[in-house]
Amino acid sequence: MAAALTRALCAPALSLDRAVDFLDLGARASKKVEHGVHGFAENRENRQPLDRERDRKWILAILSFRFFNEEDDMAQTAIFGPFFATMFLTLIVWVYMYARRISFISANKISPNDLAAPGKLAQLSPPAVSNPSDNLRNLFEIPVIFYALALYLFLTKQVDSIYVIAGWIFVAFRVLHSAVHCTFNLVILRFYLYLFATLAVWFIAIRTALAYFGA
C-alpha cells in the first residue's frame, strides 16, 4: 500500500484517477482490509462515486501538505543567500588585502623581520595597502551579528521575505562599502553606505527581538 501510494504521488504527470487506481491495487495486494483504507473497495469497478471522490480529496490533501512543506523549507533556506554572499565578500577582501600587502612588501624590499612588531606594517603602509586590511577587520564586526541572526531565524523557522530582503539590502551596501573603502575611500560616501547596511541589520535584530518577546 505504501509503495503504491509513493508511486502515485511521485509520478510527474499522474492524474488523480490514476493515483486512486494505484491505491486500489495496493489495497487489494495488502489483503488487510475488506474495503481498503478510507473506503477503497477491493474491486475497483464496485467503487461508489462518493468513495472515489473522497479518495481524490485525500490525495490532494497529501499533495498540498508536501507542496507547502517544500515551500516552507525553501523560504527558510533563503536567508543563507545573503549569509554566504557576505562570507564571499569577506573572502574577496581578504585576497585583495594580501595581494596589496605582498605587492607593497616586494616592491619596497621590506624584510619580514622589520614587520615583526605589532602594527609596524600599518605604520609603513600607504592607505592603498592599509585600507583593505581595515575593511577586512570591519567585516568581522556588524556582519557577525547578521550571521548570528540568520542562524537564529533559520533554526526557529521564522525566516520570511522581509528578513531575506533586509539581508540582501545589508549585503548590497556592504559590497559598495568595501569597494569604496578598498579603492578611492571617499569617507562621507563610505559612512552612508556603512550606515544603511548597519540599519538593515538592526532592523532584523529589532524585529526578531519583538517576535521573541511576543510584541
Side-chain angles (χ1 to χ4, degrees):
M1 179 70 176
L5 178 58
T6 301
R7 289 195 301 272
L9 294 178
C10 293
L14 201 59
S15 68
L16 286 178
D17 285 336
R18 188 61 176 157
V20 172
D21 292 344
F22 268 118
L23 292 170
D24 285 339
L25 290 172
R28 289 201 302 272
S30 65
K31 300 297 184 180
K32 291 182 179 179
V33 289
E34 181 179 357
H35 293 289
V37 180
H38 293 281
F40 302 138
E42 290 188 0
N43 187 338
R44 181 165 58 94
E45 288 73 13
N46 293 332
R47 297 287 301 284
Q48 297 298 319
L50 184 61
D51 294 330
R52 294 184 64 82
E53 183 63 26
R54 182 168 57 241
D55 299 344
R56 291 190 187 94
K57 291 180 180 179
W58 185 62
I59 293 170
L60 284 172
I62 294 175
L63 291 173
S64 299
F65 176 78
R66 289 176 58 193
F67 173 78
F68 286 116
N69 273 357
E70 290 172 2
E71 288 293 310
D72 183 64
D73 291 342
M74 290 176 62
Q76 297 308 303
T77 57
I79 195 65
F80 288 117
F83 182 96
F84 287 115
T86 308
M87 284 190 174
F88 188 62
L89 171 64
T90 305
L91 172 63
I92 292 174
V93 173
W94 178 79
V95 171
Y96 183 72
M97 177 199 70
Y98 270 104
R100 299 293 296 179
R101 278 186 173 183
I102 293 172
S103 176
F104 171 75
I105 292 172
S106 300
N108 292 273
K109 295 180 171 44
I110 300 174
S111 171
N113 293 330
D114 296 336
L115 305 174
K120 188 65 175 177
L121 179 60
Q123 295 175 6
L124 298 174
S125 300
V129 177
S130 62
N131 285 346
S133 176
D134 293 339
N135 188 257
L136 180 66
R137 189 180 306 110
N138 192 260
L139 286 168
F140 286 92
E141 295 173 356
I142 295 296
V144 174
I145 299 176
F146 172 69
Y147 295 143
L149 288 168
L151 290 172
Y152 172 80
L153 291 170
F154 174 76
L155 292 174
T156 56
K157 297 188 181 300
Q158 296 184 55
V159 177
D160 59 21
S161 59
I162 295 177
Y163 285 126
V164 174
I165 291 171
W168 281 115
I169 290 174
F170 168 71
V171 171
F173 280 104
R174 287 306 308 215
V175 168
L176 293 173
H177 174 267
S178 293
V180 171
H181 198 178
C182 293
T183 54
F184 57 90
N185 194 30
L186 181 60
V187 175
I188 189 64
L189 175 59
R190 199 184 83 201
F191 167 78
Y192 282 113
L193 293 172
Y194 179 88
L195 173 64
F196 293 138
T198 306
L199 286 175
V201 172
W202 291 133
F203 168 78
I204 295 173
I206 293 171
R207 187 169 183 252
T208 303
L210 290 175
Y212 176 80
F213 290 110

